[in-house]
Amino acid sequence: MQERIDLLIHAPWIVTCDNANSVLQDHCLAIAEGRILAILPGTLARQRYLAAQELDLSGHAVLPGLVNAHGHAAMSLLRGAADDLSLHEWLQDYIWPLEGRWVNEDFVYQGTRLAIAEMLLSGTTCFADMYFFPDAAARAAVELGMRAQLACPVIDFPTAWANNADEYISKATALHDEYRGHPLISIAFGAHAPYTVSDAPLRKIATFAEELDIPIHMHVHETANEVQEALATDGRRPLRRLHDLGLLSPRLLCVHATQLIAEEIELLSAQGVSVLHCPESNLKLASGFCEVARLKQHGVNVALGTDGGASNNDLDMLGEMRSAALLAKGVAADASVLSAPEALTMATLNGARALGLDAITGSLEVGKFADITAVDLQDLNSSPVYNPISQIVYASNASQVTHVWCAGKQLLDNRQLLTIDKSRVLSGARTWADKIGNL
Ligand SMILES: [Zn+2]
């Protein structure tokens, strides 16, 4: 007697990204009620299960949906508005004034839809987002069926979202209450950076994060300038100050971390802090280099993010993986560091681990949600296939992503978005660009 289930996906390569990094040949994923029920040889799967839908993805690698662990989704609406500038000029002279003038709930909703559509088409099923109006971003993610962690912004100065640090924090805890137990949405604190959030709110965030059991995302040591200014005004490097305030713990996710001295790497390792590495944003803003190989040697969990569409300028995690792998080798002057499987793990399981979501996503394992991406490896640029992971990391591009599921729900079918009308997303983006107009 066959068991009735929802979906069987057959593929020549199931790239699990589990702890052993297993790649299973000619296997099948059995999906029921949104979760992975079994991973087994194809012939056995047909004997055991009767699926409502059965897909044979010949020539494809099937892998966990990619986890974009750091970004600012709605900033896709500012893509190309200000390029070729250092972080300081880019933020102070262009981005903050534009955001001050334009960001509202509709901006965030439309911008996040644009970002989600791009991310789904390039194989991402889970993204972490640090931006204003996180309620609007959450609404967009739920409507489109994508998994998201909203790192609610906390910053000392007033914006359209809140007037002061206390209001930012109370809005974050209210949103956490609203989405408690939601299958797709989780909430975190998004303390912008050490130089924009003062001690009192940081202490409060540390306490609330512990109480609510949620992460804290923060841009930390993004540039040498940030560290020097802190030394000049405060006498301490920012990480030392965060440590003194009690922020260093497995809850803290340090975005960028391009300026780390040996004792800081040891501190991050000892405190179980994760680093969210955004290589393309760091390169474009000439922020510095994150020493991924040294962090990994010290056992620090390093995950991968694209950062926002205004500093990257795309949200393609396949490209980001390749950049990360190549950059790590160059920075370490060692071609053996950050191998293709390690780069893929950074973009999947390590991301889920950083966000505290590794029990439910980040790898293809029985019991986890069916967050799945299929990459067609039959194209010219990825043929022949000796090693599917090598092809995914070093040779594939977003146009080869054909199918995506999140929590068992199909969101992409043969490169077609199923939960969102691409033309409506594009017209929403054009309307905003017209409004923002003369840059
Ligand atoms: Zn960022």
Side-chain angles (χ1 to χ4, degrees), residues 165-167 169-170 189 199-209 247:
D166 279 347
E167 194 183 351
I169 292 171
S170 67
F189 286 109
D199 287 2
L202 285 176
R203 274 198 204 94
K204 215 167 167 180
I205 288 170
T207 307
F208 280 152
L247 257 86

Side-chain angles (χ1 to χ4, degrees), residues 193 310 414:
N414 275 314

